[in-house]
Every structure is written in structure tokens, then in C-alpha cells.
């Protein structure tokens, strides 16, 4: 169940409406780094979470928080669009190029939503759920969530640096702080799952002895001249999961040449292929 009390999670104030910044904020709603993405990601991860119920609770609780962030950002978009003209004539009177298409605002916010936010990115492209990662493996999901919050915080910092509006800066500093917490909570969850030496490699339920173990911790070089790639922490010393030793190796190509054989009759191929 979801409940609402019709109050914003954190106050949203716009001192100087800016339609162009409204467009930028749309990325934080419907972009691949945005709040729709993480809300749906955590929700579906929670719906598929098996095992200790505290992880499901963590995911669902955070999904509910992210829904509140969507509401905050949608309010901010609408308030920033307050300065947008309702008629193109108003802009045409000022500038023959319609002031670079109404100051850079996304016309969808006017034409399709009446100066309101939409579930789209800054280019007006609808979020299509293709970036929702819910694997059913709790450690894999927590790892994906760290990346999601990292890109989300990066976006929020960029938005913060784009605006001089005190109200928007205050709201964004709140969202940046929450991204800080969420990065840490997902890392803490991974630590509870065993950390690098217990959770990895993911899934840790597959017997590593059945792998081609000679490749498990080999950093492969693919330089044409056969030279070794530049070394790093990933090329020598104990592996991060503590289960092997990193090494650098040049991969010798196999002797196999792919041969798919002839095309099947009635497959739509050319007769020369059959």
C-alpha cells in the first residue's frame, strides 16, 4: 500500500522562474539518471526480493521516498514554468526567432501538459523503463543501486551548478544529501551480505571450481602487437574478493573459424547461400 498526506517531502521554492531550468529538471525526473528510474528500480527489486525480509523493507521504503522526490521535482518544474508565455505571439513580438524557441523550454511542457512536468527527460523523450535493473539477486541489485545513486548524485550536482536560484539550490542540496545516504545504505547492505569477500563474485552460489579458473582473475590484453596492457591494481596482487590472485595474460585466439553452414530452404536467403 502507498499513502499520501498531500505534503511535499521537502519544501520547494522558486524565486525566479526559469523555463530553461525547468527543462533541465526534467532530466532528474525522466532521464536515465532520474527519480522515475530509481523509484521503479527499487520497487521491482523489492517485489522480487527473496530471503531476509529486511532487504525488501529497505528497498520498498526507499522506493516510496523516491516517489516523493518525483513530486518535489514536478512541483519545481511547474513553478519554473510560471514565467513561460502562453502564447507564441508574446515571444514573436520580442524576437523573430521566438527567442530561441521560447528560451529553450521544451514545448511539450506547454502543449501536452499545460506548463506542468511530464514523465520525460530534458529532450522530451518518455522514460521507457529500459534502465530498470531488478535481477532477483540481492547483491547484484545492491551493486546496481550504488551506480544508480552515483549517476543521480552527479546529475543533481550538475543541476545545482546550473542555477543561481536560492530555492532551487536549497532543494537540490537536499536531494544531493539523500543520494549520499542512498549510496551509503546500498554499500552497507552489501557489507551485510558479506562485502567484497563474501558477496562476490555474484552470484556467490555458483561453485567457482566449475569455472575455467585459469581465466577467473586474469586481466587479458588484446593489443595487436602482443604487448602487455598498462598495469593497475586489477592486474597483480590478491583479487578484491580474496579468492584468487590477479595476473596479466595475453589471450591466444582459438583456431576455430565460425562456420554457420548453409541457409535453410524457405528461410528467405539467396539461392547462393543454400
Amino acid at each position: 500500500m502507498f499513502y499520501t498526506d498531500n505534503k511535499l517531502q521537502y519544501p520547494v521554492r522558486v524565486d525566479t522562474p526559469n523555463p530553461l531550468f525547468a527543462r533541465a529538471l526534467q532530466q532528474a525526473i525522466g532521464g536515465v539518471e532520474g527519480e522515475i528510474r530509481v523509484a521503479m528500480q527499487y520497487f521491482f527489486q523489492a517485489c522480487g526480493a527473496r530471503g531476509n525480509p529486511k532487504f525488501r523493507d529497505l528497498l520498498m521504503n526507499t522506493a516510496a521516498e523516491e516517489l516523493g522526490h518525483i513530486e518535489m521535482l514536478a512541483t519545481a518544474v511547474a513553478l519554473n514554468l510560471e514565467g513561460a508565455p502562453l502564447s507564441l505571439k508574446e515571444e514573436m513580438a520580442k524576437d523573430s526567432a521566438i527567442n530561441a524557441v521560447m528560451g529553450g523550454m521544451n514545448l511539450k511542457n506547454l502543449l501536452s501538459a499545460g506548463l506542468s512536468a511530464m514523465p520525460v527527460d530534458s529532450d522530451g523523450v518518455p522514460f521507457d523503463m529500459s534502465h530498470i535493473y531488478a535481477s532477483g539477486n540481492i547483491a547484484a541489485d545492491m551493486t546496481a543501486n550504488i551506480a544508480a545513486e552515483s549517476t543521480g548524485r552527479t546529475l543533481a550536482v550538475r543541476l545545482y551548478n546550473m542555477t543561481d536560484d536560492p530555492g532551487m539550490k536549497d532543494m537540490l542540496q537536499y536531494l544531493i544529501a539523500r543520494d549520499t545516504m542512498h549510496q551509503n545504505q546500498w554499500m552497507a547492505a552489501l557489507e551485510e551480505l558479506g562485502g567484497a569477500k563474501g558477496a562476490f563474485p555474484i552470484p556467490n552460489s555458483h561453485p567457482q571450481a566449475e569455472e575455467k579458473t585459469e581465466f577467473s582473475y586474469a586481466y587479458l590484453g588484446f593489443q595487436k602487437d602482443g604487448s602487455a596492457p598498462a598495469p593497475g591494481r586489477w592486474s597483480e596482487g590478491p583479487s578484491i574478493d580474496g579468492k584468487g590472485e590477479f595476473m596479466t595474460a595475453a589471450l591466444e585466439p582459438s583456431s576455430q573459424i565460425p562456420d554457420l553452414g548453409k541457409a535453410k530452404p524457405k528461410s528467405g536467403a539467396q539461392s547462393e547461400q543454400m
Side-chain angles (χ1 to χ4, degrees):
M1 294 289 293
F2 290 93
Y3 301 94
T4 179
D5 60 6
N6 297 316
K7 298 175 183 177
L8 290 173
Q9 187 179 126
Y10 186 85
V12 176
R13 186 183 86 251
V14 175
D15 297 314
T16 305
N18 184 338
L20 180 57
F21 193 62
R23 179 173 181 170
L25 286 172
Q26 280 286 167
Q27 191 70 14
I29 295 176
V32 295
E33 319 91 335
E35 302 290 351
I36 294 177
R37 183 263 178 98
V38 289
M40 292 297 96
Q41 180 158 308
Y42 305 156
F43 176 79
F44 281 98
Q45 287 177 0
C47 289
R50 290 177 170 83
N52 193 320
K54 69 180 179 181
F55 292 107
R56 184 186 188 280
D57 182 69
L58 171 64
L59 287 161
M60 194 63 80
N61 194 61
T62 310
E65 177 182 352
E66 303 294 8
L67 291 174
H69 293 178
I70 297 171
E71 183 182 23
M72 289 168 56
L73 287 161
T75 302
V77 167
L79 292 175
N80 272 287
L81 289 171
E82 287 295 311
L86 291 174
S87 169
L88 290 179
K89 291 182 179 179
E90 297 176 42
E91 286 298 313
M92 293 167 100
K94 301 175 187 176
D95 191 307
S96 60
I98 316 178
N99 195 24
V101 190
M102 299 176 74
M105 71 173 284
N106 193 322
L107 290 182
K108 270 191 173 183
N109 292 110
L110 168 61
L111 300 174
S112 299
L115 299 181
S116 299
M118 299 181 69
V120 301
D121 67 13
S122 56
D123 289 326
V125 178
F127 186 74
D128 66 0
M129 300 296 209
S130 63
H131 289 272
I132 300 302
Y133 304 117
S135 69
N137 180 297
I138 193 68
D141 286 347
M142 294 301 169
T143 305
N145 294 348
I146 295 168
E149 292 289 343
S150 300
T151 54
R153 191 173 188 273
T154 299
L155 174 62
V157 168
R158 288 170 177 163
L159 287 167
Y160 178 84
N161 291 330
M162 281 180 65
T163 182
D164 294 322
D165 186 278
M168 287 293 87
K169 281 188 171 293
D170 182 65
M171 178 195 76
L172 287 164
Q173 288 289 33
Y174 171 77
L175 294 175
I176 290 167
R178 296 310 298 155
D179 288 337
T180 299
M181 171 56 189
H182 293 161
Q183 287 181 35
N184 278 271
Q185 76 181 39
W186 302 136
M187 287 189 287
L190 267 176
E191 186 175 280
E192 283 218 7
L193 290 164
K197 294 189 177 181
F200 292 85
I202 298 170
N204 61 3
S205 57
H206 181 80
Q208 275 196 270
E210 296 179 10
E211 298 177 18
K212 294 287 185 180
T213 54
E214 63 269 33
F215 298 108
S216 295
Y217 300 100
Y219 175 46
L220 299 179
F222 291 89
Q223 282 70 17
K224 187 176 181 180
D225 62 4
S227 62
R233 173 64 182 87
W234 50 87
S235 63
E236 57 185 359
S239 62
I240 301 302
D241 62 14
K243 299 177 176 69
E245 286 284 326
F246 287 134
M247 57 176 285
T248 300
L251 182 65
E252 290 291 329
S254 73
S255 59
Q256 181 181 5
I257 298 174
D259 181 5
L260 304 183
K262 294 183 180 298
K264 292 183 179 181
K266 299 182 181 180
S267 65
Q270 292 295 93
S271 58
E272 290 81 4
Q273 294 177 266
M274 300 178 189

